[in-house]
Amino acid sequence: MSRGLNRRVFLAGSAAAAAGTIGATAIPWTSAHAAPALQQGRPVEVPDVDVRPAARADLTEATLAEAATLLRRRATSPSELVEAHLARIARFEPTYQAFNAVTADAARAAAKAADRRRSGPLAGIPLCIKDNYFTAGVETTANSFVFEGFVPPYDATAVARLKAAGGIVVGKGQMGPLATTRATQPNGTVTTVNAWTPQDPSVDPGGSSTGPATAVAGRLACSSIGTQTGGSIVGPSNQQNLTGLKPTMGRTSIYGIIPLSYTRDHSGPLARDVLDAAVMTAVLAGPDPNDPRTLGLPAVPDLVTAALPVRKKGRVVLRRSTTIGVPPDFLTGNAAVVALRRTFLDTLAAIPGAKLVDVTYPADWGLLTGTFNAIRLSERTEPFLPYLKQDPKLFGVSLLSWLQGLFLSGDEWITGQRAKHHLLRELLDGVMSKCDVLLQTGPVPFDILGLPELGLPIGFAPVGANPAVPVGTILGAGPYEEDRLLEVGAAYQAVTDWHTRRPADPAAPAASARSAVVKPRLTPEEVAATTA
């Protein structure tokens, strides 16, 4: 598929979504809605990989690909793999608070069935599901009062596809209320901690897919899925030493996910490395009749192959020659982070096939990515108007950001949509006209526009009293070019080992110490300022 055709298809879909002509934002929560479709693209196969000694010694250390390799070689069983993760959940979940619900009994039953007959590329793999994905028979609350007690009658398409591929759900991941902030109680009190700083809840674990990130980083699940509207996949991945892939809008279905913003909601994986992210995305991707955004798109490329490093004469090279754009703000800010980014650039530049070029932003970049970004607020408010009218207290500490959407006029929304398409033109015709992928210091503008981006770890830096907190970076690409991002990520991870590092187990605090821990509490103003 040519880049020009990719762009035309993407622009048509983006315009249709903005006009509200392909699907509704109403919350699909009754049994009258259709069951999820399992149709996908190309068959997914997890390749055999070299299993590290640490993964052989402790199954919870294994990447998804390592776990699949061990299962394929009969070095372990689904039940053994699931029990290893459930044991860590029982031991460390009181500290991490990564889950809204742990589905231990169902996971054990699924593992025993997989012991007898393994089917699918994820057969026996323990997974965490963000709590805004519908899970049949399991409460789905999006960590909010709005959906308290809601038990969906069916699985979201993404969940159904993971299960059909053999994946085993061990629990629902804690999240920011209605996908707005880091994971908190609806009143703003912080819950889930960063797995790298479990005794310091002030360190940001990333949001709103906080629980899925902490579950994977803390070795409570082998991989996970989250959602992204304003950085909620790549952000937690950067904060917790994971690899997160936000696909192009429509590449993966959002059917059966409690919405935040129809034109910006994406589903995707938070994984341990590029290969795991590719496998998860390949399982999730493909057309879904229940989500019109997924229909009529270019075929899903071979993501798994793209995530495998290429070597020539023993040296890692890029699968395709790739020009990597470096924006003017990439080497600004915190000195320790800038040093890591500089080393990251040097490492990329040393890989044959990689070419680094400086790019510039247009004069109106800040206006387009900042001020006009507020138009998302009215889009998120619209499907929740009945709940706002019913009882504003249902929205807890995030109420202010929902009310803000009520005060945007129709002409402001239209102007914002024009600004969004102007931004898209500035990005594709301007900034990215000289490069294949673009480095970023944050998720904007790729999540605003529905373009794919990859977050991956590049080292550690001190934060407060914590000497080593993960630092990541973000790469963005053109429409449907997830494979290009994976190729760059695979080459980088083949010559570095940041992604293989795991946090130490948290110390079990004494009862007196537990009672003395005071969790931070976000204010409504803080939530409004940092909301997705």
Side-chain angles (χ1 to χ4, degrees), residues 2 14 53 74 89 108 119 153 264 267 275 296 302 339 347 361 376 381-383 399 403 412 447 451 477 501 515-516:
S2 73
S14 180
R74 306 288 174 176
I89 292 173
R108 289 188 173 103
S119 176
R264 302 189 189 194
S267 61
L275 180 56
D302 188 345
T347 302
Y361 291 143
R376 74 197 190 283
T381 300
E382 184 270 334
L399 175 62
L403 290 177
E412 288 177 301
D447 55 4
L451 296 170
R501 304 190 187 189
S515 62

Side-chain angles (χ1 to χ4, degrees), residues 32 142 179 297 340 364 376 399 490:
L297 304 185
L340 290 173
D364 56 359
R376 74 197 190 283
L399 175 62

Side-chain angles (χ1 to χ4, degrees), residues 198-403:
Q199 308 307 326
D200 186 354
S202 69
V203 176
D204 188 5
S208 65
S209 303
T210 316
T214 299
V216 178
R219 294 156 46 211
L220 311 181
C222 196
S223 195
S224 67
I225 53 172
T227 57
Q228 177 160 323
T229 305
S232 294
I233 289 175
V234 295
S237 296
N238 279 182
Q239 295 293 113
Q240 301 210 47
N241 209 54
L242 302 177
T243 301
L245 177 62
K246 183 201 79 67
T248 309
M249 183 182 71
R251 180 61 84 193
T252 56
S253 174
I254 61 168
Y255 180 72
I257 298 175
I258 294 172
L260 183 59
S261 172
Y262 182 76
T263 64
R264 302 189 189 194
D265 287 347
H266 303 76
S267 61
L270 295 88
R272 289 189 174 144
D273 62 17
V274 167
L275 180 56
D276 285 10
V279 170
M280 290 286 286
T281 305
V283 170
L284 296 171
D288 174 12
N290 293 313
D291 182 356
R293 306 184 328 161
T294 68
L295 304 178
L297 304 185
V300 180
D302 188 345
L303 301 177
V304 175
T305 296
L308 296 174
V310 176
R311 290 179 171 83
K312 291 184 178 179
K313 297 181 179 180
R315 187 179 183 187
V316 173
V317 302
L318 276 176
R319 186 172 294 274
R320 288 178 286 179
S321 294
T322 299
T323 303
I324 302 164
V326 183
D329 62 344
F330 193 72
L331 293 178
T332 61
N334 179 283
V337 173
V338 168
L340 290 173
R341 289 176 180 164
R342 196 177 299 279
T343 300
F344 170 73
L345 294 179
D346 291 342
T347 302
L348 282 183
I351 299 174
K355 178 183 178 183
L356 272 60
V357 298
D358 291 330
V359 298
T360 58
Y361 291 143
D364 56 359
W365 189 257
L367 180 66
L368 293 172
T369 59
T371 302
F372 284 116
N373 194 21
I375 63 167
R376 74 197 190 283
L377 299 175
S378 56
E379 188 175 331
R380 75 163 55 161
T381 300
E382 184 270 334
F384 286 92
L385 275 175
Y387 301 98
L388 283 168
K389 294 176 181 178
Q390 174 186 336
D391 185 358
K393 292 192 297 294
L394 291 172
F395 292 82
V397 74
S398 64
L399 175 62
L400 183 57
S401 64
W402 297 93
L403 290 177

Side-chain angles (χ1 to χ4, degrees), residues 15 60 93 96 152 207 247 316 319 357 439 458 474 511 525:
T60 67
E93 171 59 11
Y96 288 136
V316 173
R319 186 172 294 274
V357 298
L439 285 166
I458 63 170
I474 300 171
E525 292 78 12

